[in-house]
Amino acid sequence: MNRLFPFAFSLLLLLTSAGCVSRAAAPEDTSQPAPQDMSDLLTLDAEAEAFTVEEVPEPPEEPEEPYVRIIDPAKPMVALTFDDGPDGTHSDEILDTLEKNHALATFFEVGTNVLAYPEPVKRMADMGCEVASHSNAHKDLSKMKKKALLRDLDTADTAFLAAGVEAPTLVRPPYGAVNKTVKSATGRAMITWTVDTEDWRSRDAQTVVDYVKSLDDLDGEIILMHSIYGSTAQAVEILVPWLQEQGYQLVTVTELMAYYYGELPQPDHFYGYTYFSTHGRTDSPVPLPGEEIPGMGQPAGEAPVEPAEQSPETPDPALDQLPEPENEETTGWEPVRTAGTANLSPAKSVPNPALFYP
């Protein structure tokens, strides 16, 4: 009995010590586990910030003011023109450049091509570019009888109407070839050009760019190019912003006629070398139909504008280089400034007619 009592007392002490140790090691009861590493701490900080910092919304972007195109008749201007289109690819490339730079041009389109690619023609008109005719099949109009000539132009008009645009009132005769019938018996205004880039010959964008940049003064000029070449589209991408940087306003042929030469193109009138070389900048620009030039009074259309009397064609020594016509209906060519010939006068030069793009 005496031996059992010490043993029982030792066992009781041992059990009591174990219970105290267990209670001392037990963790405190928390509602959230303690973070285990630095990433957990950063996550908790981010969550806390999300609850405490209010996001301030950015103010809405103000809509851009629509571009308003205004032509100043007192400032330099030049008309870019493109023949032989439309093309399924390159016409749109040229239009992309014009649209990007808020510029316009005049497109002298071939009727058969308009039937094949009507979409670019409609886009031209929607942009405000001028859509004009380059005949129906790019034949020499001066070699046609009057009935066949008118039928060709009327057929082209049908193609334009089918494309969703108005029948053109301006025509550029293929090859620049004209006779009396072409000049004054079609019911349309015939327009040629003053600067020929000969892009059809070089098929090289840099050659075209270098030539245009080499000319001292382009104010009042009509530049000829062709919208069927990728090289021309590339040249236009360079020339359009460059011309604007030089201070030129890029206008349509009709705008150039009205604002620079002071006359709206008239039916059965021919505007070629003689016209552009004998008419300088007018002191009395005329507004386009339905428009008004500030300070000029009523818009055109309310009071008819009589066309300026065209100067009679005067002999030019350079014309001696052109072939003599066999009769009055034979083809004639208008001299122009061209990349392929040397200047024969301070302002203009005469190309070899055989070199015109067909």
Side-chain angles (χ1 to χ4, degrees):
M1 186 66 179
N2 292 335
R3 292 179 181 178
L4 289 175
F5 181 77
F7 176 76
F9 182 74
S10 299
L11 181 61
L12 179 61
L13 289 176
L14 181 61
L15 292 174
T16 302
S17 300
C20 291
V21 172
S22 177
R23 285 193 301 272
E28 296 182 2
D29 183 17
T30 60
S31 59
Q32 186 173 343
Q36 300 298 315
D37 51 31
M38 184 59 69
S39 63
D40 289 339
L41 290 173
L42 294 175
T43 302
L44 291 174
D45 289 343
E47 291 176 353
E49 183 178 355
F51 283 107
T52 58
V53 177
E54 295 183 0
E55 294 185 3
V56 179
E58 296 183 0
E61 295 184 1
E62 295 184 2
E64 293 185 3
E65 291 291 331
Y67 177 79
V68 179
R69 183 172 177 270
I70 299 175
I71 301 301
D72 186 345
K75 294 182 178 180
M77 61 188 76
V78 61
L80 298 181
T81 66
F82 300 91
D83 286 8
D84 292 356
D87 178 84
T89 300
H90 306 312
S91 290
D92 276 319
E93 293 173 347
I94 292 171
L95 290 172
D96 288 344
T97 297
L98 294 173
E99 189 171 36
K100 177 181 178 181
N101 293 278
H102 302 294
L104 298 183
T106 299
F107 292 82
F108 291 93
E109 308 290 50
V110 176
T112 54
N113 291 342
V114 173
L115 285 177
Y117 304 107
E119 293 84 3
V121 179
K122 184 65 166 59
R123 182 185 175 192
M124 295 167 192
D126 291 342
M127 284 176 53
C129 289
E130 187 166 38
V131 179
S133 177
H134 197 38
S135 82
N136 186 60
H138 205 283
K139 294 181 179 179
D140 188 338
L141 301 181
S142 69
K143 293 182 178 180
M144 294 182 181
K145 299 295 184 181
K146 182 177 179 180
K147 185 176 181 179
L149 164 62
L150 294 178
R151 183 169 57 246
D152 180 277
L153 297 178
D154 289 343
T155 303
D157 288 350
T158 302
F160 287 104
L161 292 172
V165 301
E166 296 181 359
T169 58
L170 302 187
V171 176
R172 173 168 285 167
Y175 315 102
V178 294
N179 58 19
K180 288 184 177 180
T181 302
V182 175
K183 286 182 177 181
S184 58
T186 67
R188 299 160 172 87
M190 291 287 162
I191 306 282
T192 58
W193 59 90
T194 63
V195 174
D196 186 357
T197 62
E198 292 193 344
D199 57 340
W200 60 270
R201 177 186 297 279
S202 68
R203 310 284 180 93
D204 180 73
Q206 195 59 50
T207 298
V208 173
V209 169
D210 290 344
Y211 172 64
V212 174
K213 287 185 175 183
S214 73
L215 302 175
D216 293 333
D217 185 8
L218 292 170
D219 191 19
E221 301 283 7
I222 301 175
I223 299 178
L224 168 63
M225 289 182 278
H226 297 81
S227 58
I228 57 176
Y229 303 118
S231 55
T232 297
Q234 294 168 8
V236 169
E237 191 173 5
I238 299 172
L239 285 174
V240 166
W242 179 82
L243 287 166
Q244 291 176 329
E245 289 170 1
Q246 308 311 303
Y248 292 107
Q249 303 169 99
L250 299 184
V251 298
T252 67
V253 166
T254 296
E255 289 174 336
L256 184 74
M257 293 285 297
Y259 299 145
Y260 188 93
Y261 292 101
E263 176 184 356
L264 293 174
Q266 300 297 312
D268 294 328
H269 280 63
F270 176 70
Y271 303 91
Y273 171 78
T274 300
Y275 176 87
F276 295 112
S277 63
T278 58
H279 289 69
R281 179 186 290 276
T282 183
D283 293 329
S284 303
V286 299
L288 301 180
E291 296 185 359
E292 182 177 352
I293 298 177
M296 289 190 59
Q298 294 181 334
E302 297 185 9
V305 178
E306 293 294 330
E309 182 179 353
Q310 297 196 51
S311 302
E313 299 203 7
T314 55
D316 189 317
L319 296 179
D320 294 338
Q321 298 186 16
L322 301 179
E324 289 294 329
E326 296 178 1
N327 55 61
E328 66 177 11
E329 294 300 316
T330 300
T331 302
W333 292 273
E334 285 294 311
V336 295
R337 185 188 296 183
T338 175
T341 56
N343 285 334
L344 300 177
S345 69
K348 308 288 181 182
S349 64
V350 179
N352 180 349
L355 299 182
F356 280 163
Y357 176 74

